[in-house]
Amino acid sequence: DEQPLPDRVFERMEQHHVLTHALDALAPETRSIILLHEEGLTFREIAETHRASIDTIKSRYRRGILALKKVMK
């Protein structure tokens, strides 16, 4: 039973911290779309929840993911 090395634990904690702050920096609707998709909802289900077209949801998701990637670099 291997335990993670302290450096790896710290690295994961730091990544989680950065991701949390990056998500907080997104517009609330964009953050919601990303989190709902990560929970397993389809774009169609998210579109129904947000009362928006699927294309709008996909666009906001993509822009949000790109913003997260930029911050996470």
Side-chain angles (χ1 to χ4, degrees):
D1 207 13
E2 286 187 36
Q3 294 291 322
L5 298 172
D7 290 344
R8 289 194 188 241
V9 171
F10 179 75
E11 184 178 316
R12 286 183 190 156
M13 288 172 53
E14 183 64 25
Q15 288 174 344
H16 182 265
H17 179 74
V18 170
L19 179 58
T20 299
H21 282 289
L23 282 167
D24 287 345
L26 295 175
E29 186 172 23
T30 302
R31 180 175 51 249
S32 172
I33 291 166
I34 290 171
L35 294 176
L36 289 171
H37 193 263
E38 289 302 312
E39 289 178 12
L41 272 70
T42 65
F43 287 120
R44 179 178 302 283
E45 292 168 326
I46 297 168
E48 290 171 3
T49 301
H50 283 267
R51 294 189 173 121
S53 73
I54 293 174
D55 288 337
T56 297
I57 296 301
K58 287 180 179 180
S59 175
R60 290 177 183 161
Y61 177 83
R62 178 164 168 70
R63 280 185 277 152
I65 292 297
L66 290 174
L68 290 176
K69 285 181 179 181
K70 186 176 180 180
V71 171
M72 296 298 290
K73 281 186 177 182

